[in-house]
Amino acid sequence: MVPSHTVPADPDRCLELTGEGLVELLGRVGRRLAAHLDALDDLPSWEPDGAQQAARAIAGTPLPEGGIDAEEALDLLFDRLIEPGFQTAGPGYLAFIPGGGLPEAAVADLIAGTLNRFVGVWEAVPGLAELETTVVRWFCDLMGYPAAGGGFLTTGGSLANWSALVTARRCRLGDDLAGGVLYASDQAHHSVTKAAVLAGFAPESVRVVPTAEDHGLRVDALAEAVRADRAEGRRPFLVCATAGTTNTGAIDDLDAVADLARAEGLWMHVDAAYGGFFTLTERGAAALKGIERSDSVTLDPHKGLFLPYGTGCLLARDVEDLRRTHSVAAAYMPDLQEGERVDFCEISPELSRDCRGLRVWLPIALHGIGPFRENLDEKLDLARWAADELREVEGLELVAEPRLSLVAFRIAGEGPKTEERNRALLERVNARKRFFITPTLLDGRFTLRICVLSFRTHLDRVRECVEAVREETAALLSERSAP
């Protein structure tokens, strides 16, 4: 006879945090976060010192059997682990493509995580599922998509690009990938090639199309590449245009790409992870004209809507294309919806996932969309102001005029000595720790970038950064001319 197991009469309930316990814990965390937010203006924009010590403080620690006091855990986080590195939430973060980190979105994540409702299928929590569907509809409207459009929130642009590519593959190539080729400019984000490889294509299946002087895709070169591939018996199926490149903020001629895509039967995807939400502004909408003609578009609310990292989006002109690509049946699944009710597991790669819609909806509900538009307009103004100022700095050249909120520049000249001076300029500007800017290579030349996108970045910090560039450039050029 198999003995029965004994169930404890008084089980351990330490994981069952009470409401009072939650309030106490949140009070401790809230006080520390409040102090951090209030100090952001004065914190270093990047802090390399202490990085190794911070990593060693947690690396290799064994799995603990028992817990530690909350204050001890928070001390470890706030006093030792958090500060070294890039201060991505601060006003001086002008590197890469900045995110924002609106605290209201963090509050939404707290609500979503504590309630722990499942939004993968509509039936599980119709209200929150519809909330996310509403957010996606807002985005479709911003992009000019028709009523048939739809999509889902992702963790970021890389996964959105991947799912877009998979959808294009299914809709244009079916189950036979042989000979499939896709096209993107030499300024496209590397996630496009990564997405192609993950979708089963060889890296050489991605045709790299040259760009013009403005760093936008050359549509004539694209047309020539498509014709050449067809003549060789290959199967062109997708072109990825970019609305806001990482290097310079360049925007491809979306209308011209759309014309070619329609004529050649190509799926047109637009990677607008950086630039897409500038359509909220009059200038941005004009610059992105033609995006409404695309078959799919990638957006990053954690860029242009200032939300925490981990908030991306994929939209499709026809949501049924997403459904045909991603839908797979299983006996244990509940009845799925038809019509306007959306089961996100049917149109996206994920079944289990967090409730991302709330972190987008709550900040917009609390503020309205107006302040987001005003902030984006301000960033366009700041980039233009910085470009005008840098243009007047003796010895500097603008490599790219800002189309959005990014300006690329360098000390003028050619040769190894000039490259050394540009690298030195970057080091000296960043050494002040009041701002953090990053470089790139354009046409093989070391180039500096200022990207303004944080809702906390305003004229005072951009002016300070430009003045640092001015001073350090003068110092470097005077060192060159010294006997």
Side-chain angles (χ1 to χ4, degrees):
M1 182 176 179
V2 180
S4 61
H5 293 284
T6 301
V7 178
D10 186 19
D12 184 347
R13 298 183 182 273
C14 70
L15 297 180
E16 301 175 34
L17 191 64
T18 65
E20 182 181 354
L22 177 62
V23 169
E24 180 184 355
L25 180 60
L26 290 179
R28 296 184 181 194
V29 173
R31 286 188 291 274
R32 291 174 183 260
L33 287 176
H36 178 79
L37 289 179
D38 290 342
L40 271 177
D41 274 356
D42 299 319
L43 289 176
S45 293
W46 73 297
E47 183 54 81
D49 299 334
Q52 295 296 326
Q53 296 89 325
R56 284 197 293 269
I58 195 67
T61 54
L63 179 67
E65 182 62 32
I68 60 175
D69 178 73
E71 284 298 314
E72 184 180 350
L74 294 175
D75 284 344
L76 174 63
L77 278 173
F78 284 88
D79 298 342
R80 303 182 67 182
L81 302 182
I82 291 174
E83 291 307 325
F86 303 164
Q87 187 56 262
T88 50
Y93 189 74
L94 305 170
F96 303 108
I97 307 293
L102 278 169
E104 294 89 338
V107 172
D109 282 347
L110 171 65
I111 295 170
T114 302
L115 296 178
N116 197 36
R117 302 299 294 274
F118 177 71
V119 296
V121 296
W122 187 90
E123 186 179 72
V125 55
L128 292 180
E130 282 296 323
L131 183 147
E132 184 162 332
T133 301
T134 296
V135 165
V136 169
R137 185 65 255 164
W138 291 345
F139 293 171
C140 284
D141 291 343
L142 286 175
M143 296 304 111
Y145 272 7
F152 55 92
L153 300 181
T154 73
T155 56
S158 293
L159 283 183
N161 283 340
W162 174 78
S163 204
L165 195 149
V166 170
T167 302
R169 182 191 69 185
R170 172 61 61 88
C171 293
R172 292 294 188 268
L173 298 179
D175 295 326
D176 181 11
L177 277 62
V181 290
L182 57 145
Y183 306 85
S185 84
D186 58 26
Q187 298 297 300
H189 196 270
H190 76 282
S191 63
V192 175
T193 297
K194 188 173 185 178
V197 171
L198 292 175
F201 295 95
E204 54 268 25
S205 297
V206 181
R207 300 287 189 262
V208 178
V209 182
T211 49
E213 288 186 7
D214 65 357
H215 304 288
L217 181 147
R218 280 181 47 200
V219 181
D220 62 328
L222 171 63
E224 182 179 343
V226 172
R227 286 194 296 268
D229 278 323
R230 290 202 193 281
E232 293 291 331
R234 300 184 186 93
R235 302 164 67 200
F237 76 98
L238 175 143
V239 55
C240 178
T242 305
T245 63
T246 303
N247 280 337
T248 66
I251 301 171
D252 294 337
D253 186 337
L254 302 181
D255 262 331
V257 174
D259 287 341
L260 180 63
R262 183 171 298 175
E264 294 289 346
L266 303 178
W267 182 282
M268 178 185 173
H269 176 64
V270 178
D271 182 355
Y274 165 38
F277 285 109
F278 281 97
T279 56
L280 281 165
T281 71
E282 184 176 342
R283 286 172 287 178
L288 272 65
K289 183 179 178 297
I291 197 170
E292 72 281 356
R293 300 174 62 191
S294 63
D295 295 290
S296 57
V297 60
T298 286
L299 301 171
D300 266 351
H302 63 219
K303 293 185 175 79
L305 288 185
F306 320 121
L307 300 182
Y309 291 120
T311 317
C313 180
L314 175 65
L315 303 178
R317 164 175 288 277
D318 187 345
V319 73
E320 290 305 312
D321 289 332
L322 297 177
R323 196 183 311 277
R324 283 190 293 271
T325 301
H326 296 89
S327 178
V328 177
Y332 47 78
M333 293 289 289
D335 292 337
L336 300 179
Q337 308 303 312
E338 296 181 358
E340 295 182 358
R341 296 176 178 178
V342 176
D343 293 289
F344 289 109
C345 68
E346 284 282 275
I347 64 170
S348 75
E350 298 174 292
L351 176 58
S352 297
R353 44 157 294 183
D354 53 338
C355 178
R356 297 181 191 126
L358 192 55
R359 80 169 65 138
V360 181
W361 177 85
L362 185 60
I364 295 176
L366 294 177
H367 294 287
I369 202 61
F372 292 87
R373 178 181 294 107
E374 292 171 8
N375 265 268
L376 289 171
D377 257 326
E378 179 197 26
K379 309 318 165 195
L380 294 173
D381 291 337
L382 288 172
R384 174 53 59 189
W385 180 89
D388 290 343
E389 292 292 315
L390 291 171
R391 189 182 293 106
E392 300 303 316
V393 176
E394 184 177 355
L396 277 188
E397 63 173 332
L398 287 188
V399 178
E401 294 283 345
R403 294 293 306 277
L404 296 171
S405 64
L406 194 160
V407 55
F409 62 97
R410 69 192 304 274
I411 294 176
E414 302 295 337
K417 289 295 184 182
T418 300
E419 295 304 291
E420 290 176 14
R421 291 188 189 98
N422 277 293
R423 292 178 188 274
L425 177 59
L426 177 73
E427 292 175 3
R428 292 187 181 195
V429 170
N430 282 343
R432 302 189 181 202
K433 296 186 180 180
R434 288 287 293 165
F435 12 76
F436 185 52
I437 63 176
T438 46
T440 189
L441 287 178
L442 284 174
D443 302 320
R445 303 192 305 168
F446 190 87
T447 301
L448 286 68
R449 308 160 58 261
I450 293 175
C451 187
V452 189
L453 199 57
S454 172
F455 66 97
R456 295 187 175 100
T457 301
H458 305 292
L459 179 59
D460 57 343
R461 192 63 63 105
V462 176
R463 178 187 287 120
E464 188 178 348
C465 181
V466 167
E467 188 57 33
V469 171
R470 191 192 318 273
E471 292 172 359
E472 299 297 349
T473 299
L476 283 163
L477 293 180
S478 66
E479 291 170 9
R480 176 185 65 182
S481 59

